[in-house]
Amino acid sequence: KLDWADATIYQMAEIALHTIDQVTIAMDFDTGAGHDEVIDRLLPFIAQQAPSRMPEEHVRVAKWVLDNLINVGTTERGFRRVYGSMGPGGYQRRQFDFKLLVELAARDGEVYLRATDEAINVLVGALDTDVESAQIAAEVKLENLINRGRLADAKLAAEQARYRTVQY
């Protein structure tokens, strides 16, 4: 539904999950990911989905997805979903308010992104893996690659192991 591009080639849900993933990876106890850092990390993934498209479009898609996960344009920048449940008084409508990515200011005034617990739950729920077994396998694979001197492959395995750690 983008008015500036035919976006049917892009898998926006996958890009959104990848965005949450990249923000989560960049987070530490005090800060998170910078907007530009997240965009840079998204571009290779987006470009693989539409290699014939211009890099400028890839940047716009990345920014669009990021803005929508932050929910730019709304006052509270949160999402609200209405659901119902049966209780002693019959059917009751309830509201669930949540945010996926939030912008926070660091002590130096820089704005950074953090994934909320709800966003991480979405990410973990999207992964259909026996987490404990995958974590053990990733650690063994990483150790083996390092011992054989295959450092580029070890870097990728380490990133995958970190995903399992976050998921676990």
Side-chain angles (χ1 to χ4, degrees):
K1 297 183 179 181
L2 301 179
D3 59 358
W4 45 266
D6 174 14
T8 55
I9 194 168
Y10 297 105
Q11 298 300 313
M12 295 299 192
E14 289 180 15
I15 296 169
L17 288 172
H18 193 65
T19 304
I20 293 169
D21 189 35
Q22 294 306 311
V23 171
T24 304
I25 289 168
M27 289 179 1
D28 60 21
F29 289 109
D30 295 328
T31 61
H35 288 75
D36 292 339
E37 176 187 1
V38 173
I39 299 298
D40 289 344
R41 288 180 174 205
L42 291 175
L43 290 177
F45 183 73
I46 294 170
Q48 287 180 353
Q49 290 187 13
S52 63
R53 300 289 179 87
M54 299 299 292
E56 295 80 15
E57 182 177 292
H58 299 151
V59 171
R60 286 188 78 183
V61 167
K63 288 181 178 180
W64 184 86
V65 170
L66 184 58
D67 284 351
N68 279 278
L69 288 171
I70 298 168
N71 209 8
V72 171
T74 61
T75 306
E76 297 294 322
R77 293 201 170 183
F79 298 92
R80 172 173 287 156
R81 293 296 175 253
V82 177
Y83 67 98
S85 64
M86 291 298 293
Y91 185 81
Q92 297 177 354
R93 290 191 190 280
R94 302 181 186 273
Q95 294 182 24
F96 179 64
D97 295 322
F98 63 96
K99 294 180 179 180
L100 295 172
L101 298 180
V102 293
E103 294 176 307
L104 300 170
R107 292 181 187 164
D108 62 4
E110 291 293 317
V111 175
Y112 60 90
L113 298 164
R114 290 190 65 83
T116 64
D117 291 343
E118 292 88 355
I120 294 171
N121 286 337
V122 168
L123 181 64
V124 170
L127 301 172
D128 188 23
T129 305
D130 173 3
V131 181
E132 190 171 1
S133 297
Q135 177 70 20
I136 293 167
E139 290 169 0
V140 170
K141 179 179 179 181
L142 177 61
E143 183 179 345
N144 187 313
L145 289 169
I146 290 171
N147 289 340
R148 294 187 322 179
R150 295 180 53 193
L151 299 181
D153 293 332
K155 179 180 183 271
L156 178 61
E159 289 173 355
Q160 291 171 344
R162 180 159 183 194
Y163 298 153
R164 296 292 90 73
T165 299
V166 169
Q167 184 183 27
Y168 192 65

